[in-house]
């Protein structure tokens, strides 16, 4: 059964940090590229970061230098470390898995339910 479960969302002050985690079922974790997306009510879902099985990463320009994506093979998890958070980072964050290494949502096949991140100024 395909399963992606996000956790770690919270409310923080600007400048703070959060670490999101996405627990994936084994077959998904081992077979697909993994990524984080985010969405607000006013915007389309946008790609934040992606990671390959070998550890190559993609980062959106808006988060480069502040966010880091990594894999925890022991836990079959994908982590998103978010530092220097800004109010504009406020969004629902989704974990995704798919066959193409990209930040384009249409290339991702499986999605989690999301975890809310709120950054106050």
């Amino acid at each position: 059964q395909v399963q992606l479960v996000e956790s770690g969302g919270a409310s923080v002050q600007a400048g703070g940090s959060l670490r999101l985690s996405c627990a994936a079922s084994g077959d998904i974790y081992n077979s697909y590229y993994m990524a984080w997306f985010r969405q607000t009510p006013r915007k389309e879902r946008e790609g934040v970061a992606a990671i390959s099985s070998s550890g190559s990463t993609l980062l959106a320009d808006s988060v480069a230098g502040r966010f880091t994506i990594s894999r925890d093979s022991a836990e079959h998890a994908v982590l998103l470390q978010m530092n220097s958070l800004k109010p504009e980072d406020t969004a629902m964050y989704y974990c995704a898995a798919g066959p193409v290494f990209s930040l384009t949502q249409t290339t991702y096949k499986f999605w989690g339910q999301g975890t809310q991140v709120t950054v106050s100024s």
Side-chain angles (χ1 to χ4, degrees):
Q1 181 179 355
V2 174
Q3 190 172 21
L4 295 171
V5 180
E6 302 96 334
S7 63
S11 296
V12 297
Q13 296 274 339
S17 297
L18 281 175
R19 190 177 77 165
L20 305 184
S21 180
C22 171
S25 54
D27 53 347
I28 292 297
Y29 183 86
N30 292 323
S31 302
Y32 291 98
Y33 298 103
M34 303 291 295
W36 285 95
F37 288 77
R38 65 186 181 185
Q39 188 171 22
T40 66
R42 297 182 180 180
K43 289 185 178 181
E44 288 188 8
R45 193 170 294 188
E46 65 169 342
V48 174
I51 188 166
S52 71
S53 58
S54 64
S56 297
T57 62
L58 295 172
L59 284 172
D61 289 345
S62 58
V63 305
R66 300 188 297 122
F67 290 12
T68 304
I69 188 171
S70 61
R71 285 179 175 255
D72 182 340
S73 297
E75 299 294 328
H76 285 176
V78 177
L79 309 175
L80 185 68
Q81 178 66 43
M82 306 186 295
N83 299 326
S84 302
L85 282 161
K86 303 176 181 180
E88 50 263 44
D89 294 318
T90 295
M92 185 70 79
Y93 283 71
Y94 297 91
C95 179
V100 177
F101 191 37
S102 81
L103 292 178
T104 304
Q105 64 164 326
T106 54
T107 66
Y108 284 83
K109 187 175 180 181
F110 304 108
W111 293 85
Q113 295 299 306
T115 186
Q116 178 68 37
V117 172
T118 303
V119 184
S120 59
S121 58

